[in-house]
Amino acid sequence: MEFAPTQEQKQIQEMVAEFVDEEVVPRAAEIDETDEFPQDLVDQMAELGLMGMPIPEEYGGAGLDYHAYAMALEEIARGSGGLGTIVAAHISLACNMLYEFGDEAQKEAYLTPLAEGEEIGAFALSEAGAGSDVPAMETTAKPVGGDPHEGEEPDEYVVDGGKLWISNGSVADTVVLFAKTDPEAGNKGISSFVVRPEEDDGFHVEGTEHKLGDKGCPTAELRFDDMHLPADRRLGEAGRGFVHALKTLNGGRITIAARGVGIAQAALDEALDYAGEREQFDQPIGDFQAIQHKLADMDTKTEAARMLMHRAADKKIRGENFVKEAAQAKLYASEVSREVANEGIQIHGGYGYTKDFPVERFYRDAKLNEIYEGTSEVLRNTIADQLLD
């Protein structure tokens, strides 16, 4: 077993950490206050090669392994939870869908500008009535032309419906969309498509959500009215969209675990600083055993979550089944991020409940980890299914 990062992985983490400390941390409170998409920071990350980290260089990416990618995303989320989501949704969901299931023409046309950071990607799966229950989606993509009985492909698809809670949805240049091409076939009747909002008539952004946290990452409601997509926008075979989504979300859970670890580390760092500076009863509060025990537990949980994250990444890199490990990493890191952020507030006392200190933001940002890309309840089901299989 080798637990030490390689020299390259360390250099990447240090480079990203320096960028975060110099550019992101000073802006984090402003991003949280305005809830505006930080395009300038995204542009800077693109220049550093951070918008296509695990994508091969031939498609505009940096070709990093999943350890380095997770470590970098952890650092980004340490600076801003919203920025962490922007990057995770863009790479782990949109880019990875195109890389895994797109053909060469689709990769060249759509993946490369995403991985280079020239464009932003989104992943449109959830609906108002179809969150955890994906096959309950009502968005349809009706095939037009061609004779399926003769094995002919359709000429185009006509999409109608809507999506909800789509990260990056209002700023995306490419949206990976899931819709029912055969409404009678259940989860085998769902297909995935590439949508280009600026090109495709019938694509509408209904608005963005006012959220508890995760500010800076626009979470959009999308609507599709008689939206015509050429047949070459479909990713892979018709009816395979549900499988595409599950495989992509499984990998994405590693990076949501990284977001959780990053937020937990930020909360721990702030609590350590505050405990050394704040004095009560003529001594720093860090001298009190009650505070020391909180800090010890916070650090232990954060390190345990980090190890689970890397364990899942390692199995992914090795090409092994990592469904259980990714679910465990995401589940534990999500809950740990909330618990550590909560203790960070407690250590700050009354100050922690105000916006004068960043710990209340960490708490708000952490909660989302337990909801998106697989709720904690669904992840426990996934883990149990893997144990009993």
Side-chain angles (χ1 to χ4, degrees):
M1 292 185 186
E2 179 57 67
F3 291 96
T6 66
Q7 189 64 30
E8 181 188 20
Q9 290 164 349
K10 287 177 64 176
Q11 288 174 345
I12 290 164
Q13 185 176 32
E14 290 169 1
M15 179 267 288
V16 179
E18 182 178 358
F19 165 74
V20 167
D21 288 335
E22 291 181 0
E23 304 294 339
V24 179
V25 171
R27 290 275 305 284
E30 175 196 340
I31 293 169
D32 184 66
E33 183 68 27
T34 64
D35 199 15
E36 293 181 0
F37 182 75
Q39 183 65 60
D40 60 323
L41 291 178
V42 172
D43 291 341
Q44 290 179 62
M45 288 192 294
E47 292 176 9
L48 294 171
L50 303 181
M51 296 306 287
M53 287 184 271
I55 305 301
E57 293 180 12
E58 64 184 295
Y59 300 118
L64 302 185
D65 65 38
Y66 250 69
H67 289 301
Y69 173 36
M71 291 160 72
L73 190 57
E74 176 190 329
E75 292 294 339
I76 293 168
R78 178 177 63 80
S80 165
L83 196 59
T85 299
I86 289 169
V87 177
H90 168 82
I91 297 177
S92 299
L93 302 185
C95 287
N96 276 348
M97 272 290 298
L98 283 157
Y99 177 63
E100 292 292 339
F101 307 112
D103 59 31
E104 284 303 313
Q106 291 168 332
K107 290 177 183 178
E108 182 178 345
Y110 310 120
L111 174 59
T112 299
L114 289 177
E116 291 176 344
E118 295 177 3
E119 297 185 350
I120 296 294
F123 180 89
L125 178 66
S126 297
E127 298 182 7
S132 298
D133 184 10
V134 172
M137 71 171 60
E138 296 181 357
T139 298
T140 59
K142 183 179 178 181
V144 177
D147 187 345
H149 300 294
E150 297 294 328
E152 297 177 355
E153 289 285 345
D155 298 320
E156 65 175 2
Y157 291 87
V158 180
V159 181
D160 288 284
K163 297 292 178 178
L164 199 59
W165 308 307
I166 308 306
S167 299
N168 297 342
S170 62
V171 296
D173 301 283
T174 289
V175 176
V176 176
L177 171 69
F178 296 83
K180 286 187 173 180
T181 46
D182 184 354
E184 305 302 318
N187 62 25
K188 295 182 179 180
I190 298 170
S191 301
S192 56
F193 300 88
V194 173
V195 175
R196 300 284 289 175
E198 291 298 317
E199 303 170 20
D200 300 330
D201 292 337
F203 180 98
H204 305 282
V205 177
E206 293 287 83
T208 55
E209 303 295 337
H210 298 286
K211 300 172 297 183
L212 177 70
D214 199 47
K215 303 299 182 70
C217 178
T219 302
E221 179 180 356
L222 308 178
R223 177 168 55 85
F224 319 106
D225 291 332
D226 196 38
M227 184 174 70
H228 291 245
L229 299 179
D232 63 7
R233 294 279 198 84
R234 194 186 72 214
L235 291 170
E237 299 176 26
R240 296 287 292 171
F242 183 69
V243 174
H244 293 173
L246 291 184
K247 287 183 176 180
T248 303
L249 288 168
N250 190 43
R253 286 168 182 161
I254 297 173
T255 45
I256 299 306
R259 181 182 184 271
V261 172
I263 293 171
Q265 187 65 56
L268 173 60
D269 291 345
E270 289 291 332
L272 284 167
D273 288 345
Y274 187 80
E277 295 171 0
R278 172 68 166 169
E279 291 192 359
Q280 290 286 271
F281 306 103
D282 298 321
Q283 61 181 325
I285 63 171
D287 289 351
F288 292 103
Q289 190 180 64
I291 301 299
Q292 293 174 357
H293 284 186
K294 286 182 184 296
L295 294 169
D297 287 345
M298 292 162 72
D299 184 62
T300 301
K301 289 178 178 180
T302 302
E303 290 293 346
R306 185 176 283 118
M307 291 300 293
L308 282 172
M309 174 188 79
H310 282 297
R311 180 165 177 255
D314 193 62
K315 290 187 77 87
K316 178 175 171 57
I317 291 168
R318 293 174 185 275
E320 300 175 11
N321 186 321
F322 64 100
V323 172
K324 178 170 73 77
E325 288 75 15
Q328 288 176 325
K330 199 267 190 186
L331 170 67
Y332 188 72
S334 296
E335 296 188 347
V336 159
S337 65
R338 173 180 48 78
E339 292 167 4
V340 172
N342 181 63
E343 288 289 56
I345 291 175
Q346 194 69 20
I347 288 171
H348 280 70
Y351 287 117
Y353 202 65
T354 72
K355 292 186 180 293
D356 294 336
F357 290 82
V359 286
E360 60 84 30
R361 168 165 52 85
F362 302 149
Y363 186 84
R364 291 185 286 107
D365 284 346
K367 181 58 192 174
L368 181 60
N369 292 328
E370 298 177 281
I371 298 171
Y372 68 172
E373 293 195 37
T375 65
S376 293
E377 292 76 15
V378 165
L379 293 179
R380 285 185 165 88
N381 290 342
T382 299
I383 294 165
D385 287 344
Q386 292 292 308
L387 288 171
L388 297 169
D389 188 11

